[in-house]
Amino acid sequence: MSAAELARDGPTLHGPELAARLERSWSRDPGLLGWLATVDHKEIGRRYLVTAFVFLALAGVLALAMRVQLARPDQNIIGAARYNEIFTMHGTTMMFLFAVPVMDAVAIYLIPLMLGTRATSFARLNAFSYYVYLAGGMLLWIAFVLNVGPDVGWFAYVPLSGPEYGVGKRADIWAQMVTFTEVAALSVAVVLTATILKQRAPGMSLDRMPLFAWAILVTSLMVIFSMPSVALASGMLLSDRLVGTQFYNPTENGDALLWQHLFWFFGHPEVYIIFLPAVGFVSEITATFCRRPVFAYPVMVMAVVAIGLLAFGLWVHHMFATGLPRVGYSFYTAASMAVAIPTGIQIFCWITTMWLGRPRFDVPFLYVVAFIVTFVIGGLTGVMVASVPLDLQLHDSYFIVAHFHYVLIGGAVFPLLGAITYWYPKVTGRLMSERLGKLSFWLLFGSFQLTFFPMHLSGMLGMPRRVYTYPAGLGLELPNFLSSIGAFIVALAFVLFIANVFLSLRRGAIAGPNPWKAGGLEWATSSPPPPYNFAHVPSVGSATPLWDGPLKWMSGLRVDEKEMLLTTVVSARPDLREPVPEPSIWPFISALALTVMFVSSIFSPWAVLFGLVPLGVALIAWFWPKQLEPTAEPVIE
Amino acid sequence: MNTVQSVFGGQGAEGAQFLSLMTLFTVVTTIIYLLVLAYLALALWRRRRTEHTVESGDHAAEPPPQRTALIGWVALVNTGLIVLTVASFLTDRAMARTASSPALEIEIIGHQWWWDVKYTGADPSQSLETANELHLPVGVPAHITLKSADVIHSFWVPNLAGKQDLIPGRQTDISIKPTRTGLFRSQCAEFCGVQHTHMALDVTVENRADFLRWYRAGLQPAKAPTAPLAKAGYAYVMTRQCAMCHNITGTEAGSHFGPDLTHLASRRSIAAGTLPMNRGNLYGWVADPQANKPGSKMPTLGLEPNELHAVVAYLETLK
């Protein structure tokens, strides 16, 4: 007898009694075991966020080390070998351990709240993903500390990373770290896709879904389609290195370019996997601080979908210098340029929202303005490098370093910092300091330009990427010096931002449920939300329900067990009542077993076989079916 | 602003085309950027007579003028992109044409971390091999075949043309037609290992007569040393480790693992652009390559002072 077939004629609870009963059903067990076993998306989201910011700080320190080394020509503060490790770690950490997970973090926390549901789908898989991600990050950084960190670049081109030239275990650690983050990212993508498609509040049809949810849906689908490519690539690399296959070895009819195709088929969508969640942040913040929904909602949605599709058709623009047929290049030029169309549409719609509304210049909105001013530069230099003749000069030079930092910091980190300031009161119950927030904002905005704008010039003056020094007399002294100065001010701005986060935990003004008077469902519950998110299921009739009349609530879910409501995919009509998994230690133990298997398989292929045993045991325990004891009189809300 | 390693140099036939295309892109993208900034500034700071907000009660309004403007904006962006795509395509074709019918065949093989440069004529006796330097006659289209001996490298003389990768197991090529004489610097543009930084190539574009003089001199074998110190150095180079890796045409040193040294002293730099060529740097390099280029395939041999004097004296005769 399944939960959905249970009779629902038990007592109905109200008010404090209801809250207490829900609290009892949903709160986690005390102690370390409870902490490890929790499946609450808010706790997992917070852990993801904190971990991702720790990795940001670590990778940021590496960036400072590089800028010290490059501050003046012909310096040898950091040796060549160490420098190569440092830029590899910086890129790998930023891309795999910060940028993608931090977007997952925000989505894991917010998506159920925005959709008006009590949990994510596959709550245990969600918990599992966090531990796998943490293990992958620790593998990479412990290896770095032990001086066996990877030194082959975040792209790990073969044959440099192959068995012949990438000696030792450095490249294996890189490739296995990628495996960890893929498992984590794919798990989260599945969790988010299912949550968004099946758990929206009744009435939240696809065309009433918050733009952030649209962005996350498309992002998750992109993860599902792109990550297998790099999984294949890194798996083949590991097998070349460990068991003597020859996938990438040209002398045995393998092919060095195969790696680049597989890697960039993932690597380019990766950029949009980082950028699209930021599109969601910007849309939500713009709407709230301009006091109206984003202009042309259907067009915005189509633009997000279009970016998701186009992202898969332009990986070859990373390979214009590899000597592939030039006629083929033209297609990728056109496809790369075409991305400017949906992006341009989005920029227009946000600015039009500002035009039609009444902007309020709080810190989150300042980040949106900075995003537009900065990101558009990165987008336009992107148009330049889509052109084959221009790219052949600019490719792999510091111009590209400038370009993608404009895109990734301007396009994703600025919106992220705005988003953190914006949703901070929801998570903590308090507002961040506006004064400190403005100070760090202006410091960051200015120093970012100082750091990265000169890199356009150093690239055009012939400075290639990934060099640990440069000769005097090429005109590279001034731009590099400015970049180095700027980098330290960027670091200072981040320190102030983080200080604000910590200080406001105690000193910030009490926020209340909806401090910004926003229109989304996440603002309909208390700040911070209770473990069950909502005491009753909200029912919505528009995309901004809190702005469109009093919210309607539905009841009927059990409160003596964890239960949530599933709705239909397109029109979000109530569909099923679904039990939510109880907390379990097995996802943690499974992640541990997986870690043992992955790490030891760096050293011996047999580890894959023997490692399956503990993993299998843990997974069986995790999925062991439980007999639901039918309750005669279930308690309902 | 430097003129030896810059995309603005324009000393190649492609360079001029690159500059005009870059100008077009810069103008178009700057116009678009200024439009965005202007619209943003107006939207943020305009005086509002009407607004469509929650507070005013019609936040769902999407007035027709803005809808029309969106269509106009999309049309504008599309037009700009089409212009740029077509211009890019045409420039690409034009670049491919400028260096057609090459009069000079060159083969460059990338090694960790130096360049092996071979001028391959139809007559094998006229084939010339050198390292870390490339001489080109002005106005003559040169066809360069690119190969790699180990990992991926990228050939990039920014003053003359764009990049082309050197990929193991594949053969790529690039055609260059220099239009002005000068001394340029080129540097490997694809990360290729620990000394990727010190993998430079000295490029000399000279008039035809100078080029032929250099070429003929390059075909000559190394002269036997006459001074006693240089003779001692010669003996060391031939009998000790040096000859295991290097080639010096006209002597018994015939290995091709390391760079060719036949006319080493006539080059502008040592160890693929690591140090400028002079006596002091030759001393420094021979005495301790690992200090100057850590990770280089050339080991620090630990020469005695008298051996060092002798070897440098001999190397200096390799003009």
Side-chain angles (χ1 to χ4, degrees):
Chain A
M1 186 177 194
S2 79
E5 292 160 0
L6 287 172
R8 293 204 173 246
D9 46 6
T12 306
L13 299 185
H14 297 284
E17 212 184 347
L18 171 66
R21 194 65 194 260
L22 277 168
E23 192 80 35
R24 187 145 35 104
S25 303
W26 286 82
S27 60
R28 67 167 161 84
D29 301 334
L32 180 66
L33 211 60
W35 195 84
L36 290 173
T38 183
V39 293
D40 183 349
H41 70 95
K42 297 182 290 302
E43 293 217 34
I44 293 162
R46 276 209 304 270
R47 284 175 206 177
Y48 254 110
L49 195 65
V50 170
T51 313
F53 266 84
V54 169
F55 284 124
L56 170 72
L58 290 171
V61 169
L62 295 185
L64 293 183
M66 286 192 281
R67 284 322 312 174
V68 168
Q69 165 64 20
L70 293 175
R72 289 154 48 78
D74 295 317
Q75 290 199 116
N76 203 5
I77 302 169
I78 299 169
R82 180 74 60 183
Y83 186 90
N84 294 344
E85 279 179 55
I86 288 180
F87 78 66
T88 302
M89 289 294 291
H90 172 78
T92 305
T93 304
M94 285 297 194
M95 294 300 276
F96 289 103
L97 301 177
F98 168 68
V100 174
V102 84
M103 300 302 176
D104 286 341
V106 181
I108 289 168
Y109 191 98
L110 284 176
I111 283 292
L113 293 168
M114 284 186 164
L115 303 183
T117 183
R118 286 182 173 169
T120 56
S121 304
F122 313 123
R124 290 183 182 176
L125 183 63
N126 201 15
F128 171 77
S129 83
Y130 170 74
Y131 296 118
V132 172
Y133 154 65
L134 182 66
M138 281 170 62
L139 167 69
L140 185 73
W141 274 84
I142 291 172
F144 179 66
V145 171
L146 298 178
N147 197 20
V148 283
D151 60 352
V152 290
W154 88 277
F155 44 89
Y157 274 10
V158 292
L160 188 61
S161 63
E164 198 177 343
Y165 300 97
V167 294
K169 289 291 171 194
R170 295 175 184 276
D172 301 281
I173 284 165
W174 180 88
Q176 205 60 297
M177 182 282 310
V178 171
T179 316
F180 276 100
T181 48
E182 276 151 17
V183 172
L186 281 169
S187 305
V188 174
V190 169
V191 167
L192 290 171
T193 307
T195 308
I196 293 171
L197 291 181
K198 282 303 289 177
Q199 287 182 241
R200 300 193 307 275
M204 189 186 281
S205 47
L206 284 180
D207 58 348
R208 292 174 186 160
M209 196 158 87
L211 283 170
F212 180 72
W214 266 110
I216 294 298
L217 177 62
V218 173
T219 304
S220 301
L221 292 172
M222 288 176 74
V223 168
I224 291 169
F225 284 105
S226 68
M227 287 274 173
S229 173
V230 72
L232 182 65
S234 65
M236 281 155 61
L237 175 62
L238 280 167
S239 117
D240 267 19
R241 293 180 58 90
L242 195 64
V243 297
T245 54
Q246 311 286 353
F247 291 114
Y248 303 121
N249 183 357
T251 55
E252 296 288 344
N253 290 327
D255 190 354
L257 274 191
L258 174 61
W259 170 268
Q260 297 190 20
H261 283 291
L262 290 173
F263 184 81
W264 290 118
F265 188 79
F266 142 82
H268 201 84
E270 168 93 339
V271 178
Y272 297 99
I273 287 169
I274 295 165
F275 171 65
L276 283 184
V279 167
F281 299 153
V282 170
S283 300
E284 299 298 323
I285 295 172
T286 304
T288 297
F289 290 91
C290 296
R291 315 300 308 142
R292 57 159 291 125
V294 171
F295 176 75
Y297 175 97
V299 181
M300 285 294 288
V301 171
M302 283 192 284
V304 169
V305 174
I307 289 176
L309 291 174
L310 284 171
F312 286 91
L314 30 83
W315 78 95
V316 173
H317 75 206
H318 296 267
M319 301 168 63
F320 282 160
T322 56
L324 296 173
R326 285 197 107 133
V327 178
Y329 283 158
S330 309
F331 170 82
Y332 293 95
T333 294
S336 309
M337 298 247 187
V339 177
I341 299 168
T343 318
I345 288 174
Q346 289 171 343
I347 298 282
F348 181 91
C349 290
W350 289 317
I351 299 180
T352 303
T353 311
M354 298 171 195
W355 177 280
L356 295 173
R358 179 176 282 276
R360 242 174 48 196
F361 292 88
D362 298 290
V363 173
F365 188 68
L366 290 181
Y367 277 109
V368 166
V369 177
F371 154 80
I372 293 177
V373 171
T374 310
F375 171 72
V376 173
I377 294 181
L380 291 172
T381 52
V383 168
M384 289 182 176
V385 294
S387 156
V388 176
L390 298 189
D391 183 66
L392 288 179
Q393 282 285 16
L394 303 173
H395 177 70
D396 266 338
S397 79
Y398 258 76
F399 188 92
I400 301 296
V401 180
H403 158 70
F404 71 72
H405 281 93
Y406 267 80
V407 171
L408 289 175
I409 297 185
V413 176
F414 283 1
L416 174 72
L417 297 182
I420 287 175
T421 316
Y422 176 57
W423 279 296
Y424 182 91
K426 181 48 60 188
V427 180
T428 66
R430 290 173 187 266
L431 288 152
M432 280 173 75
S433 157
E434 190 73 8
R435 263 180 62 201
L436 201 49
K438 279 194 170 134
L439 180 65
S440 57
F441 166 78
W442 284 110
L443 214 50
L444 178 60
F445 180 65
S447 60
F448 168 84
Q449 314 293 343
L450 180 63
T451 309
F452 293 101
F453 198 80
M455 289 185 186
H456 292 111
L457 188 64
S458 25
M460 290 193 280
L461 292 179
M463 184 163 166
R465 293 170 70 177
R466 300 152 190 150
V467 291
Y468 73 97
T469 189
Y470 51 93
L474 296 179
L476 296 172
E477 293 90 338
L478 183 64
N480 275 289
F481 188 68
L482 293 177
S483 293
S484 292
I485 298 284
F488 278 87
I489 309 177
V490 168
L492 176 68
F494 268 99
V495 168
L496 288 178
F497 186 91
I498 298 298
N500 193 359
V501 167
F502 280 107
L503 289 176
S504 304
L505 276 180
R506 291 167 154 269
R507 293 201 207 150
I510 300 290
N514 191 0
W516 312 111
K517 298 188 171 53
L521 276 184
E522 76 270 30
W523 304 103
T525 183
S526 61
S527 308
Y532 46 87
N533 292 353
F534 299 94
H536 298 281
V537 179
S539 152
V540 302
S542 81
T544 49
L546 301 197
W547 285 347
D548 300 305
L551 200 58
K552 294 191 193 76
W553 299 95
M554 292 172 60
S555 61
L557 287 183
R558 292 179 68 150
V559 298
D560 51 347
E561 293 279 350
K562 289 167 76 176
E563 198 173 63
M564 63 186 179
L565 178 68
L566 299 190
T567 51
T568 55
V569 170
V570 175
S571 49
R573 275 193 293 272
D575 193 7
L576 293 166
R577 300 185 191 89
E578 176 81 1
V580 175
E582 288 301 316
S584 162
I585 193 66
W586 290 106
F588 172 73
I589 295 173
S590 303
L592 216 55
L594 188 74
T595 303
V596 170
M597 182 178 100
F598 279 174
V599 173
S600 42
S601 69
I602 293 174
F603 301 95
S604 161
W606 289 104
V608 178
L609 195 63
F610 295 120
L612 280 175
V613 177
L615 180 63
V617 170
L619 288 177
I620 287 168
W622 173 354
F623 294 121
W624 197 263
K626 270 182 252 0
Q627 190 70 44
L628 261 181
E629 290 300 325
T631 319
E633 290 190 351
V635 187
I636 56 174
E637 52 180 53
Chain B
M1 195 88 70
N2 84 69
T3 51
V4 301
Q5 186 173 343
S6 163
V7 302
F8 301 121
Q11 286 95 346
E14 286 194 17
Q17 290 160 329
F18 167 81
L19 281 183
S20 46
L21 188 64
M22 187 76 187
T23 310
L24 175 70
F25 268 69
T26 310
V27 169
V28 173
T29 52
T30 306
I31 290 172
I32 297 278
Y33 187 57
L34 292 178
L35 281 175
V36 171
L37 283 193
Y39 187 31
L40 177 67
L42 280 173
L44 291 178
W45 291 297
R46 79 188 176 101
R47 283 172 177 237
R48 286 175 167 73
R49 272 189 225 99
T50 55
E51 59 179 47
H52 305 280
T53 62
V54 185
E55 283 71 21
S56 70
D58 63 337
H59 56 271
E62 298 196 338
Q66 273 73 25
R67 287 164 171 269
T68 315
L70 174 58
I71 294 165
W73 171 250
V74 174
L76 181 72
V77 170
N78 274 323
T79 312
L81 289 173
I82 289 168
V83 167
L84 294 180
T85 307
V86 170
S88 167
F89 182 72
L90 294 178
T91 306
D92 201 34
R93 301 311 298 270
M95 281 182 172
R97 272 197 303 275
T98 44
S100 53
S101 59
L104 190 60
E105 282 291 340
I106 304 171
E107 180 177 305
I108 295 184
I109 302 168
H111 295 256
Q112 283 180 321
W113 294 270
W114 60 280
W115 304 92
D116 186 7
V117 180
K118 294 175 181 165
Y119 290 76
T120 51
D123 176 359
S125 71
Q126 299 297 304
S127 287
L128 170 65
E129 180 167 359
T130 179
N132 301 325
E133 61 168 346
L134 177 66
H135 284 247
L136 295 171
V138 69
V140 177
H143 178 251
I144 306 177
T145 305
L146 300 165
K147 295 176 183 171
S148 168
D150 36 51
V151 301
I152 301 176
H153 304 277
S154 192
F155 175 78
W156 182 32
V157 193
N159 292 69
L160 301 182
K163 287 173 201 69
Q164 188 64 55
D165 290 351
L166 297 78
I167 301 168
R170 284 172 180 255
Q171 182 173 314
T172 54
D173 65 330
I174 186 169
S175 293
I176 292 181
K177 183 180 168 189
T179 53
R180 273 184 282 159
T181 59
L183 304 180
F184 309 113
R185 190 171 183 278
S186 157
Q187 201 173 342
C188 176
E190 183 62 80
F191 179 62
C192 57
V194 66
Q195 278 298 342
H196 164 58
T197 305
H198 288 129
M199 185 169 166
L201 176 72
D202 295 313
V203 181
T204 305
V205 177
E206 53 206 343
N207 63 46
R208 206 184 170 87
D210 286 342
F211 173 78
L212 287 174
R213 200 171 304 126
W214 170 84
Y215 196 87
R216 283 195 204 102
L219 287 174
Q220 300 301 315
K223 287 194 191 74
T226 50
L229 191 61
K231 278 184 166 169
Y234 172 79
Y236 185 97
V237 168
M238 292 307 139
T239 56
R240 304 290 286 276
Q241 297 95 327
C242 317
M244 299 296 289
C245 297
H246 294 286
N247 174 62
I248 303 173
T249 306
T251 73
E252 288 169 8
S255 174
H256 290 267
F257 184 78
D260 182 283
L261 300 180
T262 310
H263 299 286
L264 171 72
S266 69
R267 295 179 199 152
R268 298 214 297 274
S269 67
I270 305 169
T274 307
L275 300 165
M277 176 65 72
N278 58 48
R279 177 179 291 176
N281 284 338
L282 268 179
Y283 267 100
W285 176 255
V286 176
D288 195 355
Q290 292 301 317
N292 290 290
K293 191 171 176 177
S296 157
K297 307 280 180 189
M298 178 159 162
T300 296
L301 299 172
L303 280 77
E304 298 298 328
N306 59 330
E307 294 169 340
L308 182 62
H309 286 306
V311 168
V312 171
Y314 172 60
L315 292 179
E316 284 190 300
T317 69
L318 297 175
K319 298 258 184 212

